Amino acid sequence: QVHLVESGGGLVQAGGSLSLSCAASGSIFSINAMNWYRQAPGKQRELVVATTSGGSANYADSVKGRFTISRDNAKNTVYLQMNNLKPEDTGRYYCYVAAVVDYYTSHYWGQGTQVTVSS
């Protein structure tokens, strides 16, 4: 089993910055994808950025140039640096991990962390 712990959300004014982190622990053989999603009230969950074990990252157009994802594979941790935040970035941010456990790839979600950007 894999456990994800997210941290770093909060309240910030527009133009400010926040940094999120997500640490995975458990019987992990390897981690493939480590992604961030977000869900605003009344909206569907959407992909913010996806990253592979090889280090490539794909960002949603709405966050390109403002958000930066990074991974510490030794610590099974992914970070999301969010700069120049906008009110439309408000939502609950979820970490997603695709990990190999017991020879199979399984999918895990964090509990989410709230990000609120005031105008």
Side-chain angles (χ1 to χ4, degrees):
Q1 192 58 270
V2 174
H3 184 54
L4 303 181
V5 177
E6 301 167 358
S7 62
L11 172 64
V12 66
Q13 288 187 330
S17 299
L18 284 173
S19 181
L20 307 182
S21 66
C22 172
S25 62
S27 303
I28 300 170
F29 176 75
S30 64
I31 292 179
N32 299 329
M34 296 189 85
N35 305 342
W36 287 99
Y37 290 77
R38 67 186 180 190
Q39 187 167 18
K43 295 188 177 181
Q44 290 188 331
R45 190 172 297 187
E46 64 175 357
L47 177 67
V48 176
V49 56
T51 183
T52 67
S53 58
S56 64
N58 291 299
Y59 295 88
D61 288 342
S62 59
V63 306
K64 283 181 180 177
R66 300 187 298 119
F67 290 13
T68 303
I69 192 170
S70 59
R71 284 174 60 162
D72 184 335
N73 291 326
K75 296 181 178 180
N76 289 334
T77 300
V78 63
Y79 306 92
L80 183 65
Q81 178 64 39
M82 305 183 293
N83 297 328
N84 190 21
L85 282 160
K86 303 176 180 181
E88 51 263 42
D89 294 318
T90 294
R92 193 161 185 85
Y93 283 66
Y94 295 90
C95 175
Y96 160 86
V97 167
V100 177
V101 176
D102 294 335
Y103 306 106
Y104 297 99
T105 298
S106 298
H107 309 274
Y108 303 91
W109 291 90
Q111 79 282 2
T113 185
Q114 181 67 32
V115 171
T116 302
V117 185
S118 63
S119 57

